[in-house]
Amino acid sequence: MCGIVGYSGNSEACDILIEALKRLEYRGYDSAGIAIWDKGTIKIGRKKGKVDELKKAVCDGTFRGKLGLAHTRWATHGTPSEKNAHPHKAGHVVVVHNGIIENYIELKKDLKKEGHTFLSDTDTEVIPHLIVHYMDKGNTFLDAVRATLKELKGSYALGILNEKERILVAAKKESPLIVGVGNGEYFIASDAPAIINRTNRFIFLEDNDVAIFKNNTVRLINTDGEKIERKIHQVQWSDAMAEKGGYKHFMLKEIFEQPRAISETLLGRIKEEKGEIDFEEINLPDVKKINKIWMVACGTSYHACMIGKHIFEANLRIPVETDIASEFRYREPIVSKNDLLIVVSQSGETADTIAAMKEAKKKGAYTLSICNVLGSTIARDADSVIFTHAGPEIGVASTKAFTTQISVIFMLMLYLGKRLGVLDSQDVRNHILEIKKIPHKMQNILEMAPSIEEAARKYMQCKDFLYLGRGIHFPTVLEGALKLKEISYIHAEAYAAGEMKHGPIALIDEQMPVVFVSPVDQTYKKTCSNMEEVISRRGKIILFTDKEDQEIHQRVDSYFVLPDTIYELQPVLSVVPLQLLAYYIANLLGTDVDQPRNLAKSVTVE
Ligand code: F6R
């Protein structure tokens, strides 16, 4: 995820900014850059690779000045390279950016017609050009910045410098940006850890806020130019806490980051007006010739594949086969050249998934990967790749990668459906409307965290858990059980609810919590019968559903009513309380949540 830092004060900016960038390294990045203002000129340095490379190039005393910006880039548009690294400059305007500008193609086209030339493949570069465009029309620098912000669609956290005036501007919409208030000096940063060693007083900018740093003072306006006030918060965070954004563990932070991770994954891809999904990055052969879709992965990513099978088959009416990568590679799967093989991987480095992809390629299938890490083996070696924009996932237990994978699979279904002619623009538009509501609904679920923690306290001493769900909720409960066992070390098993009578029912007694995921859909009544069977054996039910049903609710041990959505998207919502339940149980038991025993974040061996 890109990182932004800025400085305006009385000390040399270069060392301060490089140090701040290093403190943001944990977010992951592929290139870095810096801009230092000094007496009407701005010096820019950019490097592909590590911050240390940039440091070697700029910390030799030549980048002198007390005002500046720096950036670490996690590529989304354009490969990791020096030319795509930030800052980007047009005329006298220099910009660093985190987020995605959705309408950059249209803006770039118009600016090119006016004679602007572009040097990078990024969406960001349109921003300084647009500011220059407005300044050329006679606007002041600040008015040009405001006019530009109003034209940008998508998300941004921005740091902007003007070579001719000693002004630093920070602005944000849907991407985080904070202002650090020091003694006669100010900082900007994407995240508190960058500057927590310099100040513990922060202004948390809100969407459409614009902060202007001039003569060592700051004033805040909105994009209409009206003055606004924001409180200065004093935090008591340690370094480690700041890195985790104040959360106790990365896993919890990542669970709470999911609304934003999904918004970023959708950005630039959903074209609501046209009723279209734009995956400009993929180059599939004739989709009408697809004979069969394979979905192959490991662990949590495999659960996303199982959900994908439901999403694709119900809407595309193409047969989908899911397989665990370590199984696929050692049997003789009947793969043909008209098959599409989708591999799903957060890390892009899982050995079995890489091997399965190679195997399918050898057999002539077209390979498409859904991946979170740019430059990873799976991202590089697949015929096409769609990135989940979840940002780096640091906790070993996968959370935000999973929900962004499902979001990509859902968009891919719409993309293929339109090309196959089974969905028209209106169908796609209706589906887009539903997925756009997910981040907000997810936020509502996250607000239930205290009551889920209470439930965790109630069941934390149980030795075994059973998880049950039908249809698309079966992979969701598999994921819920996996989360619980891997971080709390409690034995948890998941079954398709219809399978209960075929064996697991023997386990049920008053010691056994049974977690049901059962929104009110076509299989709800069937699952209610399974709940009756558990109740009559004095099992304890924890139910996650989406509608009130007193008949059942008064007889279960605990229940949670989640926001509703369409069938295909229910897993994205219902997995969140399962992640939280696992997290809180593990935390109460005192396990090493972020690095559970025996597990590694990326399984690069068989
Ligand atoms: C579980 C988990 C693992 C991974 C699996 C695949 O929380 O994280 O099960 O999902 O090792 O990893 P990727 O997605 O990196 O291929």
Side-chain angles (χ1 to χ4, degrees), residues 297-303 344-351 353 370 373 378 393 395-399 401 405 479 482-483 486-487 599-603:
C298 299
T300 291
S301 299
Y302 174 65
H303 298 151
V344 181
S345 176
Q346 187 285 130
S347 62
E349 300 296 351
T350 302
T353 311
I370 297 174
V373 179
I378 289 175
E393 194 179 62
V396 162
S398 192
T399 52
Q405 285 164 355
E479 177 58 12
L482 176 62
K483 287 291 87 95
E486 68 182 332
I487 60 170
L599 290 175
K601 184 66 190 156
S602 148
V603 185

Side-chain angles (χ1 to χ4, degrees), residues 159-320:
I160 310 170
L161 286 173
N162 175 358
E163 206 160 33
K164 295 291 153 208
E165 298 172 56
R166 198 191 188 282
I167 302 182
L168 166 66
V169 174
K172 83 150 235 132
K173 191 181 137 222
E174 289 168 28
S175 287
L177 197 61
I178 60 172
V179 173
V181 181
N183 272 339
E185 57 184 1
Y186 292 91
F187 307 85
I188 61 170
S190 304
D191 219 347
I195 50 177
I196 192 82
N197 59 331
R198 305 235 163 228
T199 181
N200 64 351
R201 296 166 69 221
F202 299 121
I203 299 169
F204 297 99
L205 294 180
E206 293 182 18
D207 283 355
N208 301 315
D209 286 1
V210 180
I212 302 151
F213 304 88
K214 196 174 176 180
N215 301 331
N216 290 349
T217 61
V218 65
R219 69 187 171 95
L220 298 181
I221 57 170
N222 60 21
T223 46
D224 289 325
E226 294 156 348
K227 187 172 174 241
I228 49 169
E229 304 276 345
R230 297 274 175 247
K231 199 173 156 218
I232 299 177
H233 297 261
Q234 186 146 352
V235 302
Q236 302 302 338
W237 293 346
S238 65
D239 249 20
M241 275 167 83
E243 198 177 275
K244 293 173 191 145
Y247 291 97
K248 186 169 176 192
H249 294 103
F250 279 112
M251 182 181 174
L252 190 60
K253 175 173 182 258
E254 286 158 8
I255 292 173
F256 275 81
E257 270 172 1
Q258 290 180 104
R260 198 177 81 219
I262 291 185
S263 299
E264 300 226 331
T265 300
L266 302 183
L267 263 177
R269 288 161 167 173
I270 49 175
K271 304 286 173 209
E272 196 178 332
E273 281 150 35
K274 288 196 203 153
E276 227 172 67
I277 299 296
D278 183 357
F279 278 138
E280 54 170 12
E281 61 269 59
I282 63 174
N283 185 19
L284 290 180
D286 186 0
V287 296
K288 293 208 167 119
K289 289 200 180 135
I290 298 175
N291 176 45
K292 178 176 181 176
I293 299 176
W294 294 83
M295 299 191 76
V296 178
C298 299
T300 291
S301 299
Y302 174 65
H303 298 151
C305 292
M306 292 176 74
I307 289 165
K309 179 180 167 75
H310 283 271
I311 296 177
F312 285 142
E313 284 191 341
N315 291 281
L316 305 180
R317 308 304 301 152
I318 295 181
V320 178

Side-chain angles (χ1 to χ4, degrees), residues 86-133:
H86 301 204
H88 291 287
K89 187 175 185 210
H92 296 299
V93 179
V94 169
V95 168
V96 294
H97 167 222
N98 175 18
I100 295 172
I101 303 304
E102 264 187 82
N103 56 338
Y104 85 102
I105 293 175
E106 296 91 301
L107 292 171
K108 199 166 174 174
K109 213 164 20 172
D110 292 346
L111 288 161
K112 272 184 175 170
K113 274 190 215 146
E114 278 182 21
H116 289 255
T117 45
F118 290 82
L119 305 173
S120 77
D121 310 316
T122 63
D123 51 340
T124 303
E125 202 184 354
V126 298
I127 302 170
H129 281 276
L130 203 52
I131 298 172
V132 168
H133 156 89

Side-chain angles (χ1 to χ4, degrees), residues 528-588:
C528 285
S529 307
N530 299 126
M531 286 188 244
E532 296 290 358
E533 288 153 7
V534 173
I535 292 165
S536 56
R537 283 157 188 83
R538 288 182 292 147
K540 297 189 175 92
I541 292 181
I542 310 164
L543 169 64
F544 296 96
T545 182
D546 64 349
K547 305 231 168 26
E548 290 289 345
D549 177 355
Q550 277 316 312
E551 182 89 354
I552 281 287
H553 295 177
Q554 56 194 342
R555 289 182 302 133
V556 299
D557 224 47
S558 305
Y559 74 92
F560 297 87
V561 180
L562 312 175
D564 62 359
T565 181
I566 53 174
Y567 183 70
E568 289 88 340
L569 291 172
Q570 279 166 355
V572 181
L573 294 181
S574 45
V575 77
V576 176
L578 304 187
Q579 295 166 344
L580 285 169
L581 183 67
Y583 171 79
Y584 285 122
I585 290 178
N587 183 44
L588 288 164

